[in-house]
Amino acid sequence: MYRLLKIEWKKIFFHKANRIFYSLYFLMIMGIILFMPYIKPSINGENIDLIQFGLFNTPFIWNNIAYIMSFGKLLLAIIVISNVTMEFNHGTYKQNIIDGFSKKEFFFSKWLSAVLLSLISAFIVGIMIFIVASIYNPMTGILVNSSYIFALFIEYLGFISIALLLAFLFKRSIFAILSLFVWNILEGIIQIIEFVFRKLTVSDNNHIEALSNYLPLKSNGNIINLPKFDLVQYLTEGSIFKETTVDFSYVIASFFYFIIFSFFTYLLIKKRNA
């Protein structure tokens, strides 16, 4: 494993565009979180102070910032797709095989680097949240709801496993990225069909979980939901956010898809001639 990661590191480090892309990605993660307290959006001429609304109060801060940073999985997917398709576009995949690199080793080098990238991303987000939380809150209870970082890591993993599969399948970054959006649209159509079907056939379906919520991209997006608001609570307690917890049914579903898509990606690269 160490040898595979070492080879991947050399590919990244000695490629100038990769160095810049990875550096900007991690700097962006840290910059967004650190400068978030200073962002004051204007609504109808009035500046909104996010600190006064309790955005950085514990335990809400873990859900709030993890939700915002969950959109970073799109950049992660682009990095993973670019990392894989570049091997095919530049002919380095064939060269690796000629030089004695097995298909299994090639797959695991990309798979391990993607997993490590997700882990480092989630770790950095967790450290940044801890720093910001310690500034605006007492240290007691600061780690309450920090399980959102684990949930964020699984969300990253589940999403990049789809990106990895599409990258190996199409071998062109533009096609892989477009197919990711098409996949999301198809899941949305399935969700609409299920909603209409349930309305027409089930009299009381308010307490029945929609099966389409557990589709690959839908379950992945449901891991960390938009924080809940309570205006009455804001007037009485000074914080507009309601405390929530991670729904681990979506975490389990997304991790299951991660394993399945990783396995299919391995089979794809193993059986493909070039």
Side-chain angles (χ1 to χ4, degrees):
M1 184 177 73
Y2 174 75
R3 183 176 72 89
L4 297 179
L5 288 175
K6 186 177 180 180
I7 292 172
E8 275 302 299
W9 166 251
K10 288 181 178 180
K11 289 181 180 180
I12 294 170
F13 183 79
F14 290 107
H15 194 282
K16 185 177 180 181
N18 276 341
R19 289 203 307 270
I20 295 174
F21 200 18
Y22 278 82
S23 299
L24 288 176
Y25 170 72
F26 288 116
L27 287 173
M28 185 200 69
I29 290 178
M30 294 184 285
I32 288 176
I33 297 176
L34 289 177
F35 287 100
M36 201 178 293
Y38 303 101
I39 299 175
K40 296 183 179 181
S42 180
I43 300 178
N44 295 328
E46 295 290 333
N47 291 329
I48 306 299
D49 192 340
L50 299 177
I51 299 176
Q52 291 183 354
F53 277 93
L55 180 68
F56 309 107
N57 291 354
T58 53
F60 319 115
I61 186 172
W62 295 98
N63 183 191
N64 296 342
I65 297 186
Y67 173 76
I68 294 171
M69 299 311 298
S70 66
F71 291 97
K73 64 187 179 185
L74 295 172
L75 284 177
L76 268 178
I78 292 174
I79 291 174
V80 169
I81 289 172
S82 176
N83 190 19
V84 172
T85 56
M86 184 173 61
E87 299 276 5
F88 292 102
N89 295 337
H90 294 172
T92 50
Y93 166 69
K94 289 184 178 180
Q95 187 61 47
N96 286 157
I97 301 300
I98 293 172
D99 292 340
F101 218 46
S102 69
K103 291 182 178 180
K104 180 180 178 180
E105 287 177 318
F106 182 81
F107 163 76
F108 275 108
S109 68
K110 298 303 178 185
W111 184 84
L112 285 170
S113 63
V115 170
L116 188 60
L117 181 61
S118 299
L119 181 61
I120 294 173
S121 299
F123 178 76
I124 290 176
V125 171
I127 293 297
M128 293 296 103
I129 293 177
F130 182 83
I131 292 172
V132 174
S134 63
I135 294 173
Y136 295 97
N137 300 273
M139 290 299 292
T140 55
I142 202 169
L143 294 177
V144 175
N145 264 6
S146 58
S147 58
Y148 273 100
I149 297 304
F150 173 73
L152 182 66
F153 170 58
I154 297 299
E155 183 169 348
Y156 284 163
L157 274 186
F159 199 76
I160 65 164
S161 66
I162 299 174
L164 203 63
L165 173 61
L166 296 174
F168 275 110
L169 181 63
F170 292 105
K171 299 190 289 186
R172 294 290 184 274
S173 57
I174 185 64
F175 294 140
I177 293 171
L178 285 177
S179 61
L180 195 58
F181 285 99
V182 172
W183 188 327
N184 187 52
I185 293 172
L186 290 176
E187 285 196 8
I189 294 173
I190 294 173
Q191 204 165 32
I192 293 172
I193 293 173
E194 184 192 17
F195 174 79
V196 173
F197 179 78
R198 282 154 59 93
K199 283 292 184 182
L200 294 176
T201 58
V202 183
S203 57
D204 184 15
N205 57 24
N206 293 328
H207 303 291
I208 303 175
E209 182 75 12
L211 293 177
S212 58
N213 286 337
Y214 290 93
L215 292 169
L217 289 180
K218 294 301 179 183
S219 61
N220 185 265
N222 286 333
I223 292 177
I224 302 177
N225 286 315
L226 179 71
K228 296 181 179 179
F229 308 94
D230 190 334
L231 291 175
V232 175
Q233 177 181 283
Y234 174 70
L235 296 174
T236 57
E237 301 179 18
S239 178
I240 198 172
F241 299 99
K242 295 180 66 177
E243 185 175 357
T244 56
T245 56
V246 177
D247 189 337
F248 278 93
S249 65
Y250 293 120
V251 173
I252 294 171
S254 192
F255 186 72
F256 171 77
Y257 284 124
F258 164 72
I259 295 174
I260 293 298
F261 289 133
S262 296
F263 176 70
F264 279 122
T265 305
Y266 171 69
L267 289 183
L268 177 67
I269 193 69
K270 185 179 180 181
K271 294 183 179 298
R272 177 173 280 169
N273 294 325

